[in-house]
Amino acid sequence: MKNIEFKAVTNSCCGPTPTDCCSVPANTEESQLVGLSSEHAGLPVAIIGAGPIGLAAAAELANRNQKFILLESGLKVGHNIREWGHVRLFSPWQYNINKAARSLLLDQGWTAPSPDELPLGKEIVEQYLEPLANLPPIKPNIRFNSKVVAISRRDIDKMKSVGREKQPFVLYVETEGGTETIEARAVLDASGTWGHPNPLYASGVWTKDEQSVQQHVFYGIPELTTANQAKYKGKRVAVVGSGHSALNTLLDLVQLKEVDPRTDLVWIMRKKRVEEAYGGEENDQLEARGELGSRIHQLVNAGQIQVITPYHIERLKKIGEQIQVLGTTNGEKMEINGIDQMIVNTGSRPDFSFLREIRLNIDPTTESAESLAPLIDPNIHSCGTVRPHGQKELQHQENDFYIVGMKSYGRAPTFLMATGYEQVRSIAAYLAGDLEDAAKIELELPETGVCSVNK
């Protein structure tokens, strides 16, 4: 196992030539804030994940002259977004660009996209994340193909309390060369929840039944390219879920149905009434999000989509080359037969497996940070009614460890990108010793009625 000594490269962390843009002034209160001795105060802040929130954290830290290292398991920035790059966001550019990142980009002659345009996922990557990652204050500090598999404190496990806060974090990172260790004074986990979908079953449990029919199931929003259309065109397709992903999926499939009317669309959800899935419609302050609900409403009324709700899936059974779905509706048993393909949009859940040695305060219901849970409970809040929050609400029992971005919301579906930007702005200010700025609220979100899970 190779131990990475970060101090050897700190003088050039913002570019190929020596610079102080990422150095920590000797007279700061940093060592007092993070609880480390002065021996360790010069260690970097470790950021996990080079998506929008991870790169925003890098920009915020660079803007405050703080050392950092950004670890990305993929080969490029925005690795997860690239998998849904064909999907258009319902929030315009003005909500998708971090302020510190914008400032750094504009200083380098970047041309900002029109604030009112709705970007595709791939446009977020190409027009924003890639230029940001290539900036001199950020590029030298990114390490790709570097998967964090464990985090602990130096030389002590989760059980030991004495002197714990005086020890730096140690990140165990898998690379092509093996497993390396990196020490850090603070950690921001911005790894997200993509790649960890919720199962089909209403109980939320993965079973062998579901795993045995994986060739008939897709988790996410499939890109219906010419090569991929044959999988769904002219088939009986079930879409499971009631959020924005399900609505986008249904709109794409309706276009296939127009080409081949034999395409049969079944929409399965757990809500008591289909109207609950339409959201704010004309009352949504994000026009595209409201329009999404309105268009689906019209298609359902026109008979283009068969709705089965409330329906709770309990079992899947393969019959020939098709799937039989068994479940209940209003307490009665009901079978859905002859399904060729299933597309699952039931949300995702956080992966805590590499955080077993970190002392976390996780809410048992939402799986978010414990103090954040009352603010984001989807049984109470919609996307726009969640109060802005930052460092204070995201603290765990393990000082200077933070879960940020979508993963900070656990299983709650109410996260917006702008919320994550405010999170990392506040945390970066705190780690830089600016407690006043860390406590500020600098976020306004549009109102919506779409995200609540219950009405």
Side-chain angles (χ1 to χ4, degrees):
M1 181 180 293
K2 184 179 179 182
N3 185 17
I4 300 297
E5 180 55 60
F6 192 86
K7 294 180 182 179
V9 298
T10 55
N11 286 337
S12 60
C13 68
C14 283
T17 57
T19 173
D20 62 358
C21 67
C22 282
S23 62
V24 181
N27 60 351
T28 66
E29 299 178 38
E30 178 185 314
S31 60
Q32 178 181 347
L33 284 172
V34 301
L36 295 179
S37 64
S38 57
E39 177 187 356
H40 307 310
L43 291 174
V45 175
I47 306 167
I48 305 172
I53 308 306
L55 281 165
E60 294 285 358
L61 289 165
N63 208 35
R64 290 173 171 82
N65 299 326
Q66 301 298 298
K67 298 174 187 173
F68 67 88
I69 183 168
L70 179 53
L71 302 166
E72 167 57 50
S73 61
L75 299 177
K76 299 178 181 179
V77 296
H79 175 76
N80 291 335
I81 293 182
R82 292 173 192 270
E83 295 190 14
W84 52 268
H86 59 288
V87 178
R88 191 171 299 279
L89 281 69
F90 52 67
S91 55
W93 275 107
Q94 62 177 309
Y95 293 111
N96 298 321
I97 299 176
N98 168 260
K99 290 181 180 179
R102 175 188 289 274
S103 178
L104 291 174
L105 284 163
L106 291 175
D107 287 344
Q108 296 294 318
W110 177 68
T111 301
S114 173
D116 298 324
E117 289 184 0
L118 300 175
L120 294 169
K122 65 180 181 181
E123 292 173 338
I124 291 285
V125 173
E126 294 168 358
Q127 299 180 36
Y128 172 47
L129 299 185
E130 287 181 344
L132 178 60
N134 283 319
L135 292 179
I138 296 178
K139 183 176 181 179
N141 303 312
I142 302 179
R143 290 187 53 186
F144 295 106
N145 197 23
S146 298
K147 181 179 181 180
V148 178
V149 295
I151 306 175
S152 186
R153 293 279 190 174
R154 181 202 282 177
D155 297 331
I156 56 177
D157 64 17
K158 193 174 188 175
M159 288 291 293
K160 186 172 182 179
S161 298
V162 177
R164 186 174 189 84
E165 294 179 6
K166 299 295 183 182
Q167 293 293 84
F169 291 98
V170 179
L171 291 83
Y172 292 76
V173 184
E174 284 187 354
T175 67
E176 287 184 348
T179 302
E180 304 172 350
T181 61
I182 297 175
E183 293 190 352
R185 67 181 181 96
V187 178
L188 277 65
D189 178 2
S191 60
T193 58
W194 186 262
H196 301 282
N198 289 323
L200 278 161
Y201 286 24
S203 61
V205 175
W206 285 98
T207 67
K208 288 185 177 180
D209 286 345
E210 182 169 349
Q211 294 167 350
S212 68
V213 297
Q214 289 300 294
Q215 68 270 29
H216 296 274
V217 181
F218 183 90
Y219 299 87
I221 306 176
E223 184 174 9
L224 299 181
T225 60
T226 302
N228 199 30
Q229 287 181 4
K231 186 176 181 179
Y232 303 103
K233 189 167 62 174
K235 304 294 179 62
R236 183 166 165 82
V237 184
V239 176
V240 184
S242 59
H244 302 111
S245 294
L247 271 59
N248 273 306
T249 298
L250 287 165
L251 287 179
D252 288 345
L253 290 171
V254 166
Q255 293 182 26
L256 282 188
K257 187 178 178 69
E258 293 172 353
V259 176
D260 188 339
R262 295 176 303 164
T263 306
D264 186 16
L265 305 181
V266 181
W267 186 11
I268 303 172
M269 69 182 92
R270 302 170 194 163
K271 292 185 179 297
K272 293 181 179 179
R273 300 180 304 114
V274 64
E275 289 79 10
E276 296 176 16
Y278 301 148
E281 297 194 67
E282 69 276 3
N283 296 320
D284 197 316
Q285 291 184 18
L286 285 179
E287 182 179 351
R289 185 167 56 192
E291 182 182 349
L292 184 61
S294 296
R295 290 170 65 191
I296 292 295
H297 193 166
Q298 294 167 4
L299 290 166
V300 170
N301 287 348
Q304 295 295 302
I305 301 170
Q306 177 191 359
V307 178
I308 301 178
T309 194
Y311 190 81
H312 297 84
I313 298 175
E314 296 178 347
R315 189 180 174 192
L316 300 177
K317 185 178 180 181
K318 188 173 181 180
I319 300 178
E321 292 302 315
Q322 293 181 319
I323 301 298
Q324 181 187 58
V325 183
L326 300 98
T328 61
T329 177
N330 294 319
E332 300 291 331
K333 294 289 185 180
M334 177 180 175
E335 297 177 359
I336 305 174
N337 296 304
I339 300 297
D340 297 300
Q341 294 292 330
M342 301 189 74
I343 300 175
V344 184
N345 298 133
T346 54
S348 54
R349 56 184 62 181
D351 174 21
F352 299 119
S353 62
F354 63 97
L355 303 179
R356 289 183 61 88
E357 294 303 316
I358 297 297
R359 296 180 175 182
L360 301 175
N361 294 346
I362 298 296
D363 178 73
T365 301
T366 63
E367 294 189 354
S368 68
E370 193 170 44
S371 58
L372 180 59
L375 305 178
I376 65 170
D377 186 343
N379 296 288
I380 302 171
H381 299 283
S382 72
C383 297
T385 62
V386 176
R387 182 173 64 82
H389 53 275
Q391 182 273 337
K392 181 179 179 181
E393 292 81 5
L394 295 170
Q395 287 187 97
H396 288 273
Q397 184 178 347
E398 197 81 68
N399 282 355
D400 305 305
F401 177 88
Y402 301 94
I403 298 175
V404 297
M406 185 174 288
K407 188 173 179 178
S408 71
Y409 273 44
R411 298 193 186 194
T414 49
F415 178 76
L416 290 174
M417 201 178 297
T419 305
Y421 292 159
E422 174 63 10
Q423 291 176 346
V424 296
R425 183 206 62 78
S426 173
I427 293 170
Y430 177 81
L431 293 175
D434 190 343
L435 304 187
E436 181 179 355
D437 196 32
K440 288 180 180 177
I441 294 176
E442 298 182 357
L443 179 65
E444 293 183 3
L445 295 174
E447 182 57 72
T448 175
V450 177
C451 293
S452 298
V453 296
N454 290 329
K455 295 285 186 181

